Amino acid sequence: MSDGIRQIAKVIACRIIRDKKLVDQLDGCDLEYYVHYIGYNRRIDRWVPHKFLIRDDESIKAELAKRKEEEEEEKNYQAGFLENDEDAGMDPKHVLMHEQATKIRTIE
């Protein structure tokens, strides 16, 4: 991405650059890759020249494992929070008000 920080991306497609001037600007490499940045919206996906790609399998595996672990922790936290807190963090006063407002009443 343009922020200068390395991002983990998945290569979606590859194409040959036909514009000779562009190939010369890219140090003679005529390949371009369409990449999806992991953890970002697909709107950020773009075509990237070969010279901007760095293949570093070990750090990628470590980063993906870290992200997966964080997602699992967040999912477990959210599941536990929603499962164990029927009132979704409401204070007792508001819980009582809610129960009274939503109580089923029989009208005769």
Side-chain angles (χ1 to χ4, degrees), residues 8-103:
I8 296 176
K10 177 181 179 182
V11 175
I12 305 296
C14 178
R15 69 180 178 189
I16 297 174
I17 302 171
R18 305 246 184 246
D19 184 0
K20 196 68 172 158
K21 290 179 184 177
L22 186 57
V23 170
D24 291 339
Q25 290 175 354
L26 298 172
D27 300 327
C29 182
D30 62 348
L31 294 177
E32 195 172 41
Y33 298 91
Y34 192 74
V35 298
H36 167 69
Y37 295 101
I38 306 297
Y40 290 90
N41 192 300
R42 285 186 291 175
R43 292 178 295 164
I44 308 296
D45 295 0
R46 64 184 181 133
W47 288 98
V48 178
H50 182 288
K51 75 177 192 176
F52 293 119
L53 297 180
I54 299 171
R55 184 178 175 136
D56 188 1
D57 292 334
E58 292 303 316
S59 65
I60 290 172
K61 288 178 185 176
E63 180 65 25
L64 289 175
K66 178 182 167 190
R67 288 184 185 188
K68 185 175 182 177
E69 184 179 309
E70 289 172 355
E71 288 173 5
E72 286 295 322
E73 287 176 3
E74 180 67 22
K75 189 189 311 181
N76 291 338
Y77 172 76
Q78 290 294 336
F81 177 75
L82 294 176
E83 215 172 86
N84 297 330
D85 190 6
E86 184 177 288
D87 302 321
M90 295 171 60
D91 64 6
K93 178 182 173 186
H94 285 99
V95 170
L96 182 61
M97 288 173 50
H98 175 73
E99 287 176 355
Q100 289 173 352
T102 58
K103 188 184 293 183

